[in-house]
Amino acid sequence: MLCRALVLVALVVGSSRADAQGLSLRYGVATFGDVEPLREATAIGACGYDYIEPGLAKTLALPEADRVEQVRRMREAGIRIETMNWFLPGADIKLTGPNVDKVKVRDFLERSLTLAQQMGARVIVFGSPGARSFPEGFPREQAWEQLKTFLRMAGGIIESHGYGMVIGIEHLRKPESNIINTVAEAAQLAREVNHPKVKIIVDFYHLTFENEHPDVILSAKDLIVHLQIADPAKRGFPMSDAGEPRYRQFFDNLLKIGYKGRLSIEANSSNVAGDCGPALKFLKEMAAATR
């Protein structure tokens, strides 16, 4: 009986210590607006971030000499690429509608995913509103099926080459895209695609804009491979939860599902070097206070 009691005490103490440690995350900065993390890797690394999330289509479009130089400076800063957003260029690639060019799409996927693998990316964020939004008058159901075809193609290419990344479907607010606007819809699409290389991300900014409750994280926990965040009011770097209770709900739910992945700031900033430090401090405080 004494031994059993001691075991129970140890379990309780161990559990308390785990809770006290809070949520353990890796933090990064993503391409958005004027924020170009590959270009600003030195400042981001100096702030203490773990990785950067440059735009895949943008990085692919860089002249090779520029890309090589930016990667060199990134490595000197002691930081690396772990995720990439801006998957497809909306002006050149269309995934829905009557004029989808599957040969062009596959060619872009082959080239972009090869570069992502070389860069070390583990998650490719599929937002790409210009590429995925369907034209007015086109059946939404048909566009949905076209996106499933695209995602299976992308997953198949990753799998056939033995690449180490997954695709994370991003839900986008309605002003940016007319399809996949909630976490629930992203999860539904991923489950219908049913491919091991196709999962979802959760973006706090889009979630709050669409008034989706943070509890949706609980039902999508088996699919979530990445997170993005911005201040809901100004879409800037998050620095305070004053007046925004959903921050607390968001972080607490991440602890409940046992999430141990990455969180990228995808937000506006005219002063990355000045904003990145306070934002990282705030995010770490929110994670440490999870319960």
Side-chain angles (χ1 to χ4, degrees):
M1 288 292 291
L2 177 60
C3 290
R4 184 178 180 186
L6 289 173
V7 169
L8 289 172
V9 169
L11 288 172
V12 171
V13 171
S15 175
S16 298
R17 285 175 179 165
D19 291 343
Q21 291 172 355
L23 187 63
S24 178
L25 300 172
R26 292 180 61 76
Y27 301 93
V29 175
T31 293
F32 186 79
D34 293 330
V35 178
E36 292 288 354
L38 193 56
R39 185 183 63 212
E40 301 178 85
T42 301
I44 295 167
C47 284
Y49 286 83
D50 300 299
Y51 67 93
I52 58 172
E53 183 177 315
L56 179 50
K58 285 188 171 187
T59 305
L60 184 65
L62 285 173
E64 186 176 0
D66 292 352
R67 185 166 62 241
V68 169
E69 175 59 19
Q70 290 188 19
V71 169
R72 183 190 66 78
R73 291 202 302 267
M74 173 193 73
R75 288 173 178 162
E76 283 184 353
I79 199 165
R80 62 186 184 182
I81 295 169
E82 294 186 5
T83 56
M84 301 185 87
N85 63 355
W86 281 70
F87 190 3
L88 298 106
D92 300 325
I93 302 287
K94 297 299 178 185
L95 303 178
T96 60
N99 300 311
V100 176
D101 186 336
K102 291 184 179 179
V103 173
K104 188 175 184 179
V105 171
R106 176 172 283 276
D107 174 70
F108 181 83
L109 284 174
E110 291 282 0
R111 291 185 294 111
S112 62
L113 293 173
T114 296
L115 177 64
Q117 175 71 10
Q118 293 168 351
M119 291 284 190
R122 313 305 292 178
V123 178
I124 308 300
V125 178
F126 174 47
S128 308
R132 82 188 200 194
S133 295
F134 58 91
E136 186 176 354
F138 191 79
R140 184 184 185 279
E141 296 77 12
Q142 189 174 341
W144 185 269
E145 292 300 318
Q146 288 176 317
L147 291 179
K148 286 164 64 174
T149 298
F150 162 74
L151 288 164
R152 287 179 182 135
M153 181 190 297
I157 289 171
I158 292 170
E159 203 167 48
S160 67
H161 290 298
Y163 292 162
M165 80 279 290
V166 296
I167 305 296
I169 303 168
E170 180 182 16
H171 55 110
L172 298 173
R173 63 187 188 136
K174 291 185 181 72
E176 295 182 34
S177 179
N178 58 8
I179 195 164
I180 321 170
N181 304 118
T182 65
V183 176
E185 288 175 339
Q188 178 187 347
L189 180 57
R191 290 195 170 103
E192 289 181 15
V193 170
N194 192 29
H195 194 286
K197 293 295 186 178
V198 178
K199 304 294 182 180
I200 73 168
I201 80 153
V202 175
D203 186 304
F204 181 74
Y205 174 79
H206 292 292
L207 180 147
T208 55
F209 188 95
E210 291 295 328
N211 292 311
E212 194 173 15
H213 198 282
D215 280 357
V216 72
I217 291 169
L218 304 178
S219 59
K221 63 181 181 180
D222 59 314
L223 295 169
I224 299 170
V225 294
H226 185 47
L227 307 168
Q228 292 178 338
I229 196 165
D231 175 70
K234 299 180 180 180
R235 208 171 188 175
F237 276 46
M239 298 188 192
S240 170
D241 64 337
E244 183 48 84
R246 289 173 292 185
Y247 274 119
R248 180 76 278 139
Q249 296 166 340
F250 178 74
F251 279 90
D252 285 349
N253 283 339
L254 294 176
L255 182 67
K256 288 177 184 176
I257 67 170
Y259 181 78
K260 300 181 185 299
R262 303 172 185 87
L263 172 61
S264 294
I265 295 173
E266 189 187 55
N268 290 308
S269 175
S270 58
N271 180 14
V272 172
D275 289 342
C276 67
L280 182 59
K281 181 176 181 290
F282 166 66
L283 294 177
K284 286 186 173 181
E285 287 173 350
M286 291 298 295
T290 48
R291 54 189 182 274

